[in-house]
Amino acid sequence: MNAQQTRDMTVSVGSRNPVKVQAVTQVMREIFDASGITWAVRACEADSNVPPQPIGLETIFDGALNRARHALESVGGATYGIGIEAGIYEVRGVSLDVQYCIILDTDGWMTVGHSGGFVYPPSVLREVEKGHEIGDIFATLSGNENIKWEQGAIGMLSKGHIDRTAFTRHAVLMAMVPRLSPELYDK
């Protein structure tokens, strides 16, 4: 179902993390408020079925896809199921944090977006190698146990120039691109 063809839509986000829900809400507001479409965002708990600290692009992608599937199936009448997953991947010795956003609809159309990426300090990566999660590492570094639900590691590392909501918002908006110009994409 193409959101432009309906007047009412429900967007189900496969997470209760307020950062992810807020990022999706911001993008939907920007896209649909002026269109006359009535929309609502619903959050549901969705297991990514990947390790708590996803490593590798395929693992991050799988986590987002699993969340999107669950979100679409869990909220009755959902127009879109959205899954967002962050993780680390390495290319030529550089480890980057990125987020995937996958949007599924009831017609089976999957669209994918990807955030920008940033590099973690070597000391953080050493802790990840020991099995620690990024959120826990930055909770300790910042003294804020809720950092992953607030500014995130990117907010701390960028000294507030970008926070986790803005970082996530970018991935969501990129996943919406084919839905904004569906006539140019094969479904």
Side-chain angles (χ1 to χ4, degrees):
M1 177 182 300
N2 184 336
Q4 281 76 9
Q5 296 171 341
T6 185
R7 294 278 134 240
D8 297 306
M9 60 184 278
T10 299
V11 178
S12 177
V13 180
S15 176
R16 293 197 187 277
N17 183 316
V19 168
K20 294 179 181 183
V21 175
Q22 184 177 7
V24 170
T25 300
Q26 288 176 3
V27 170
M28 296 303 132
R29 181 178 298 125
E30 182 179 330
I31 291 171
F32 295 117
D33 270 5
S35 70
I37 293 174
T38 303
W39 57 274
V41 172
R42 303 280 183 256
C44 67
E45 201 57 51
D47 193 344
S48 67
N49 294 316
V50 298
Q53 181 54 67
I55 305 290
L57 289 175
E58 290 181 3
T59 302
I60 303 164
F61 185 98
D62 289 347
L65 181 58
N66 291 336
R67 289 181 188 275
R69 283 181 178 143
H70 183 83
L72 188 62
E73 294 166 0
S74 294
V75 175
T79 308
Y80 294 152
I82 298 183
I84 301 166
E85 190 72 28
I88 300 170
Y89 80 99
E90 184 179 317
V91 60
R92 298 187 185 264
V94 177
S95 294
L96 294 162
D97 181 286
V98 296
Q99 291 192 53
Y100 273 111
C101 175
I102 295 180
I103 303 174
L104 298 175
D105 64 29
T106 55
D107 291 334
W109 191 23
M110 177 177 73
T111 56
V112 180
H114 190 290
S115 69
F118 66 94
V119 177
Y120 282 116
S123 60
V124 169
L125 294 173
R126 285 191 291 274
E127 291 301 310
V128 169
E129 288 173 1
K130 294 177 186 175
H132 299 282
E133 292 179 47
I134 290 293
D136 296 336
I137 297 166
F138 278 88
T140 300
L141 288 172
S142 68
N144 177 1
E145 67 182 44
N146 295 319
I147 193 167
K148 70 180 180 179
W149 292 288
E150 296 170 356
Q151 70 173 339
I154 186 63
M156 182 179 158
L157 292 172
S158 73
K159 304 292 187 207
H161 288 281
I162 184 170
D163 64 16
R164 189 167 181 210
T165 301
F167 189 63
T168 303
R169 186 184 174 286
H170 186 253
V172 176
L173 186 56
M174 295 304 102
M176 286 297 293
V177 166
R179 295 176 186 280
L180 294 171
S181 299
E183 69 280 2
L184 298 175
Y185 291 86
D186 296 332
K187 291 185 186 181

